[in-house]
Amino acid sequence: NDTNDLDLHVVEPNGNRIYFKGKRSTVSDGHLDVDRNADCANLTASPVEHIYWDSFDIPDGTYKVFVHFYSQCGASNESEFTVLCKYGD
């Protein structure tokens, strides 16, 4: 809820990580399609990061979700955030 650059990461069951340096999964249809405030450019105080899969046919197992404070972009050195995970309808 500020202009800092926070990055969303999802680690798939096999260890593949989807994030700004690896936007497309090498094992599924998962990909990062929205990365706001990246490198402190085109700043918004309502940023969104979005990773999704094109189908429900995703690898079984445990998925790990992380938010990484990548860069301070004029806001405080702490940022509040919300993570929403959705599967299906």
Side-chain angles (χ1 to χ4, degrees):
N1 298 321
D2 60 36
T3 57
N4 287 330
D5 182 6
L6 303 183
D7 287 321
L8 181 64
H9 295 234
V10 173
V11 179
E12 296 179 299
N14 71 345
N16 181 70
R17 182 180 298 254
I18 303 169
Y19 69 123
F20 73 97
K21 286 188 178 179
K23 293 183 179 183
R24 290 208 163 264
S25 171
T26 59
V27 297
S28 72
D29 290 331
H31 58 278
L32 171 72
D33 71 331
V34 178
D35 183 9
R36 294 287 186 254
N37 295 347
D39 295 323
C40 297
N42 301 314
L43 297 177
T44 177
S46 300
V48 173
E49 302 273 319
H50 187 239
I51 295 174
Y52 78 99
W53 284 259
D54 291 326
S55 71
F56 293 117
D57 186 24
I58 63 174
D60 289 335
T62 301
Y63 287 74
K64 297 177 183 175
V65 179
F66 299 92
V67 176
H68 176 246
F69 188 108
Y70 186 78
S71 186
Q72 186 175 354
C73 304
S76 168
N77 63 355
E78 295 182 6
S79 293
E80 292 185 22
F81 60 87
T82 300
V83 175
L84 173 64
C85 297
K86 180 179 176 186
Y87 181 78
D89 292 329

